[in-house]
Short mmCIF file of all heavy atoms in Angstrom, two decimals:
data_model
loop_
_atom_site.label_atom_id
_atom_site.label_comp_id
_atom_site.label_asym_id
_atom_site.label_seq_id
_atom_site.Cartn_x
_atom_site.Cartn_y
_atom_site.Cartn_z
N ILE A 1 -7.06 0.67 12.76
CA ILE A 1 -5.90 1.43 13.23
C ILE A 1 -4.93 0.43 13.87
O ILE A 1 -5.24 -0.19 14.89
CB ILE A 1 -6.31 2.50 14.25
CG1 ILE A 1 -7.23 3.52 13.59
CG2 ILE A 1 -5.08 3.19 14.83
CD1 ILE A 1 -7.82 4.54 14.56
N ALA A 2 -3.80 0.22 13.23
CA ALA A 2 -2.83 -0.76 13.71
C ALA A 2 -1.43 -0.35 13.24
O ALA A 2 -1.28 0.31 12.21
CB ALA A 2 -3.17 -2.15 13.19
N VAL A 3 -0.43 -0.74 14.00
CA VAL A 3 0.96 -0.39 13.65
C VAL A 3 1.31 -0.95 12.28
O VAL A 3 1.94 -0.28 11.46
CB VAL A 3 1.93 -0.92 14.72
CG1 VAL A 3 3.38 -0.71 14.28
CG2 VAL A 3 1.70 -0.21 16.06
N SER A 4 0.91 -2.19 12.00
CA SER A 4 1.24 -2.80 10.71
C SER A 4 0.61 -2.02 9.56
O SER A 4 1.25 -1.82 8.51
CB SER A 4 0.76 -4.26 10.68
OG SER A 4 -0.63 -4.33 10.91
N ASN A 5 -0.63 -1.56 9.75
CA ASN A 5 -1.28 -0.77 8.71
C ASN A 5 -0.63 0.60 8.54
O ASN A 5 -0.56 1.14 7.43
CB ASN A 5 -2.77 -0.61 9.02
CG ASN A 5 -3.54 -1.92 8.86
OD1 ASN A 5 -3.04 -2.86 8.25
ND2 ASN A 5 -4.74 -1.98 9.41
N TRP A 6 -0.14 1.16 9.65
CA TRP A 6 0.55 2.44 9.58
C TRP A 6 1.81 2.31 8.72
O TRP A 6 2.08 3.16 7.87
CB TRP A 6 0.91 2.92 10.98
CG TRP A 6 1.53 4.29 11.01
CD1 TRP A 6 0.89 5.50 11.06
CD2 TRP A 6 2.94 4.59 10.98
NE1 TRP A 6 1.80 6.52 11.06
CE2 TRP A 6 3.07 6.00 11.01
CE3 TRP A 6 4.09 3.81 10.93
CZ2 TRP A 6 4.31 6.64 11.00
CZ3 TRP A 6 5.33 4.43 10.91
CH2 TRP A 6 5.42 5.84 10.93
N TYR A 7 2.59 1.25 8.95
CA TYR A 7 3.80 1.02 8.15
C TYR A 7 3.45 0.77 6.68
O TYR A 7 4.15 1.24 5.78
CB TYR A 7 4.60 -0.15 8.72
CG TYR A 7 5.50 0.24 9.86
CD1 TYR A 7 5.23 -0.16 11.16
CD2 TYR A 7 6.64 1.02 9.64
CE1 TYR A 7 6.06 0.20 12.21
CE2 TYR A 7 7.48 1.39 10.69
CZ TYR A 7 7.18 0.98 11.97
OH TYR A 7 8.00 1.34 13.01
N ARG A 8 2.39 0.02 6.44
CA ARG A 8 1.96 -0.23 5.06
C ARG A 8 1.61 1.08 4.36
O ARG A 8 2.04 1.32 3.23
CB ARG A 8 0.74 -1.16 5.07
CG ARG A 8 0.16 -1.44 3.68
CD ARG A 8 -1.28 -1.90 3.77
NE ARG A 8 -2.15 -0.87 4.30
CZ ARG A 8 -3.41 -1.08 4.71
NH1 ARG A 8 -3.93 -2.28 4.65
NH2 ARG A 8 -4.13 -0.08 5.18
N ASN A 9 0.84 1.93 5.04
CA ASN A 9 0.43 3.20 4.44
C ASN A 9 1.62 4.14 4.23
O ASN A 9 1.66 4.89 3.25
CB ASN A 9 -0.64 3.87 5.30
CG ASN A 9 -1.93 3.08 5.31
OD1 ASN A 9 -2.20 2.31 4.40
ND2 ASN A 9 -2.73 3.26 6.35
N LEU A 10 2.58 4.08 5.15
CA LEU A 10 3.79 4.89 4.99
C LEU A 10 4.57 4.43 3.77
O LEU A 10 5.06 5.26 2.97
CB LEU A 10 4.66 4.80 6.25
CG LEU A 10 6.00 5.56 6.19
CD1 LEU A 10 5.76 7.07 6.01
CD2 LEU A 10 6.82 5.29 7.45
N TYR A 11 4.69 3.12 3.61
CA TYR A 11 5.38 2.55 2.45
C TYR A 11 4.71 3.02 1.15
O TYR A 11 5.38 3.41 0.19
CB TYR A 11 5.38 1.03 2.54
CG TYR A 11 5.80 0.32 1.26
CD1 TYR A 11 7.15 0.20 0.93
CD2 TYR A 11 4.85 -0.22 0.40
CE1 TYR A 11 7.53 -0.45 -0.24
CE2 TYR A 11 5.23 -0.86 -0.76
CZ TYR A 11 6.57 -0.98 -1.08
OH TYR A 11 6.95 -1.60 -2.24
N ILE A 12 3.38 2.99 1.14
CA ILE A 12 2.63 3.39 -0.05
C ILE A 12 2.86 4.88 -0.36
O ILE A 12 3.03 5.28 -1.51
CB ILE A 12 1.14 3.08 0.12
CG1 ILE A 12 0.92 1.56 0.07
CG2 ILE A 12 0.30 3.77 -0.96
CD1 ILE A 12 -0.48 1.13 0.45
N LYS A 13 2.86 5.71 0.68
CA LYS A 13 3.08 7.15 0.48
C LYS A 13 4.45 7.42 -0.13
O LYS A 13 4.60 8.25 -1.04
CB LYS A 13 2.96 7.89 1.81
CG LYS A 13 1.52 8.06 2.29
CD LYS A 13 1.47 8.84 3.59
CE LYS A 13 0.03 9.02 4.06
NZ LYS A 13 -0.04 9.76 5.34
N ILE A 14 5.46 6.69 0.35
CA ILE A 14 6.81 6.85 -0.18
C ILE A 14 6.86 6.41 -1.65
O ILE A 14 7.43 7.10 -2.50
CB ILE A 14 7.83 6.05 0.67
CG1 ILE A 14 7.93 6.66 2.08
CG2 ILE A 14 9.20 6.04 -0.01
CD1 ILE A 14 8.74 5.83 3.04
N LYS A 15 6.25 5.28 -1.95
CA LYS A 15 6.22 4.77 -3.32
C LYS A 15 5.45 5.72 -4.23
O LYS A 15 5.86 5.98 -5.37
CB LYS A 15 5.59 3.38 -3.36
CG LYS A 15 6.36 2.31 -2.62
CD LYS A 15 7.68 1.97 -3.29
CE LYS A 15 7.52 1.19 -4.55
NZ LYS A 15 8.79 0.73 -5.14
N ARG A 16 4.34 6.28 -3.73
CA ARG A 16 3.53 7.19 -4.52
C ARG A 16 4.27 8.50 -4.80
O ARG A 16 4.11 9.11 -5.85
CB ARG A 16 2.23 7.49 -3.77
CG ARG A 16 1.13 6.44 -3.99
CD ARG A 16 0.34 6.83 -5.23
NE ARG A 16 -0.68 5.87 -5.59
CZ ARG A 16 -1.90 5.84 -5.10
NH1 ARG A 16 -2.26 6.69 -4.17
NH2 ARG A 16 -2.77 4.95 -5.55
N LYS A 17 5.06 8.93 -3.84
CA LYS A 17 5.82 10.17 -4.04
C LYS A 17 6.86 9.99 -5.13
O LYS A 17 7.08 10.88 -5.97
CB LYS A 17 6.50 10.60 -2.73
CG LYS A 17 7.09 11.99 -2.80
CD LYS A 17 7.54 12.46 -1.43
CE LYS A 17 8.07 13.91 -1.50
NZ LYS A 17 8.46 14.43 -0.18
N ALA A 18 7.49 8.83 -5.15
CA ALA A 18 8.49 8.54 -6.18
C ALA A 18 7.84 8.22 -7.52
O ALA A 18 8.40 8.52 -8.58
CB ALA A 18 9.37 7.37 -5.73
N ASN A 19 6.64 7.63 -7.46
CA ASN A 19 5.94 7.22 -8.68
C ASN A 19 4.44 7.40 -8.47
O ASN A 19 3.76 6.52 -7.93
CB ASN A 19 6.26 5.76 -9.01
CG ASN A 19 5.51 5.26 -10.23
OD1 ASN A 19 4.93 6.05 -10.99
ND2 ASN A 19 5.49 3.94 -10.42
N PRO A 20 3.87 8.55 -8.89
CA PRO A 20 2.45 8.82 -8.65
C PRO A 20 1.51 7.76 -9.23
O PRO A 20 0.39 7.60 -8.74
CB PRO A 20 2.23 10.18 -9.35
CG PRO A 20 3.58 10.81 -9.34
CD PRO A 20 4.56 9.69 -9.52
N GLY A 21 1.95 7.04 -10.23
CA GLY A 21 1.10 6.01 -10.83
C GLY A 21 1.36 4.62 -10.28
O GLY A 21 1.02 3.62 -10.92
N PHE A 22 1.94 4.54 -9.08
CA PHE A 22 2.31 3.25 -8.47
C PHE A 22 1.12 2.31 -8.36
O PHE A 22 0.04 2.67 -7.90
CB PHE A 22 2.92 3.51 -7.09
CG PHE A 22 3.15 2.25 -6.29
CD1 PHE A 22 4.11 1.34 -6.67
CD2 PHE A 22 2.39 2.01 -5.14
CE1 PHE A 22 4.32 0.18 -5.92
CE2 PHE A 22 2.60 0.87 -4.40
CZ PHE A 22 3.57 -0.04 -4.78
N LEU A 23 1.32 1.05 -8.80
CA LEU A 23 0.31 0.00 -8.71
C LEU A 23 0.95 -1.26 -8.14
O LEU A 23 2.17 -1.45 -8.20
CB LEU A 23 -0.27 -0.33 -10.09
CG LEU A 23 -1.06 0.75 -10.81
CD1 LEU A 23 -1.33 0.31 -12.25
CD2 LEU A 23 -2.37 1.05 -10.10
N PHE A 24 0.11 -2.13 -7.59
CA PHE A 24 0.57 -3.45 -7.19
C PHE A 24 0.39 -4.39 -8.39
O PHE A 24 -0.69 -4.45 -8.99
CB PHE A 24 -0.23 -3.99 -6.00
CG PHE A 24 0.03 -3.26 -4.72
CD1 PHE A 24 -0.96 -2.48 -4.13
CD2 PHE A 24 1.26 -3.35 -4.09
CE1 PHE A 24 -0.72 -1.81 -2.94
CE2 PHE A 24 1.51 -2.68 -2.90
CZ PHE A 24 0.51 -1.91 -2.33
N TYR A 25 1.44 -5.14 -8.71
CA TYR A 25 1.37 -6.07 -9.84
C TYR A 25 1.11 -7.49 -9.31
O TYR A 25 1.89 -8.41 -9.52
CB TYR A 25 2.65 -6.00 -10.67
CG TYR A 25 2.76 -4.69 -11.42
CD1 TYR A 25 3.32 -3.57 -10.81
CD2 TYR A 25 2.27 -4.55 -12.72
CE1 TYR A 25 3.41 -2.36 -11.48
CE2 TYR A 25 2.34 -3.34 -13.39
CZ TYR A 25 2.92 -2.25 -12.77
OH TYR A 25 2.98 -1.06 -13.44
N THR A 26 0.02 -7.62 -8.61
CA THR A 26 -0.37 -8.89 -8.01
C THR A 26 -1.87 -9.10 -8.22
O THR A 26 -2.61 -8.14 -8.43
CB THR A 26 -0.07 -8.91 -6.49
OG1 THR A 26 -0.73 -7.79 -5.88
CG2 THR A 26 1.42 -8.85 -6.23
N PRO A 27 -2.34 -10.34 -8.14
CA PRO A 27 -3.78 -10.56 -8.26
C PRO A 27 -4.54 -9.84 -7.14
O PRO A 27 -4.03 -9.74 -6.01
CB PRO A 27 -3.92 -12.09 -8.13
CG PRO A 27 -2.58 -12.62 -8.55
CD PRO A 27 -1.59 -11.61 -8.07
N PRO A 28 -5.73 -9.37 -7.39
CA PRO A 28 -6.52 -8.66 -6.37
C PRO A 28 -7.26 -9.65 -5.45
O PRO A 28 -8.49 -9.75 -5.47
CB PRO A 28 -7.49 -7.83 -7.21
CG PRO A 28 -7.72 -8.67 -8.44
CD PRO A 28 -6.40 -9.36 -8.71
N TYR A 29 -6.47 -10.36 -4.63
CA TYR A 29 -7.05 -11.42 -3.81
C TYR A 29 -8.10 -10.89 -2.82
O TYR A 29 -9.17 -11.48 -2.68
CB TYR A 29 -5.96 -12.14 -3.02
CG TYR A 29 -5.00 -12.94 -3.87
CD1 TYR A 29 -3.63 -12.67 -3.84
CD2 TYR A 29 -5.44 -13.97 -4.69
CE1 TYR A 29 -2.74 -13.41 -4.61
CE2 TYR A 29 -4.57 -14.72 -5.46
CZ TYR A 29 -3.21 -14.44 -5.41
OH TYR A 29 -2.34 -15.17 -6.17
N HIS A 30 -7.77 -9.82 -2.13
CA HIS A 30 -8.68 -9.31 -1.10
C HIS A 30 -9.64 -8.30 -1.72
O HIS A 30 -9.24 -7.21 -2.11
CB HIS A 30 -7.91 -8.66 0.05
CG HIS A 30 -7.16 -9.65 0.88
ND1 HIS A 30 -6.67 -9.36 2.13
CD2 HIS A 30 -6.85 -10.95 0.66
CE1 HIS A 30 -6.08 -10.43 2.63
NE2 HIS A 30 -6.16 -11.40 1.74
N VAL A 31 -10.91 -8.65 -1.77
CA VAL A 31 -11.89 -7.78 -2.42
C VAL A 31 -12.48 -6.75 -1.47
O VAL A 31 -13.21 -5.86 -1.89
CB VAL A 31 -13.01 -8.60 -3.09
CG1 VAL A 31 -12.43 -9.53 -4.14
CG2 VAL A 31 -13.83 -9.36 -2.06
N VAL A 32 -12.18 -6.87 -0.18
CA VAL A 32 -12.59 -5.86 0.79
C VAL A 32 -11.41 -5.52 1.69
O VAL A 32 -10.52 -6.33 1.90
CB VAL A 32 -13.78 -6.31 1.67
CG1 VAL A 32 -15.02 -6.53 0.84
CG2 VAL A 32 -13.42 -7.55 2.47
N MET A 33 -11.44 -4.29 2.21
CA MET A 33 -10.54 -3.88 3.28
C MET A 33 -11.44 -3.40 4.40
O MET A 33 -12.03 -2.32 4.33
CB MET A 33 -9.61 -2.76 2.81
CG MET A 33 -8.62 -3.19 1.74
SD MET A 33 -7.60 -1.82 1.14
CE MET A 33 -6.75 -1.35 2.65
N ALA A 34 -11.58 -4.21 5.44
CA ALA A 34 -12.56 -3.93 6.49
C ALA A 34 -11.88 -3.54 7.80
O ALA A 34 -10.72 -3.88 8.06
CB ALA A 34 -13.45 -5.15 6.71
#
């Protein structure tokens, strides 16, 4: 739970609303989210 993560998740929600199939076009560097 962090302010930076809150903004990230808000950004994702906005992108998902505009495009339900939204993906990141980057290598999957981080294999865990802990």
Side-chain angles (χ1 to χ4, degrees):
I1 296 174
V3 173
S4 58
N5 290 344
W6 184 86
Y7 276 110
R8 177 201 65 192
N9 293 337
L10 177 62
Y11 168 80
I12 290 171
K13 285 182 180 179
I14 293 171
K15 296 291 287 186
R16 276 272 177 86
K17 190 170 183 178
N19 177 13
F22 171 69
L23 296 170
F24 291 112
Y25 290 86
T26 56
Y29 293 122
H30 289 196
V31 300
V32 296
M33 293 177 62

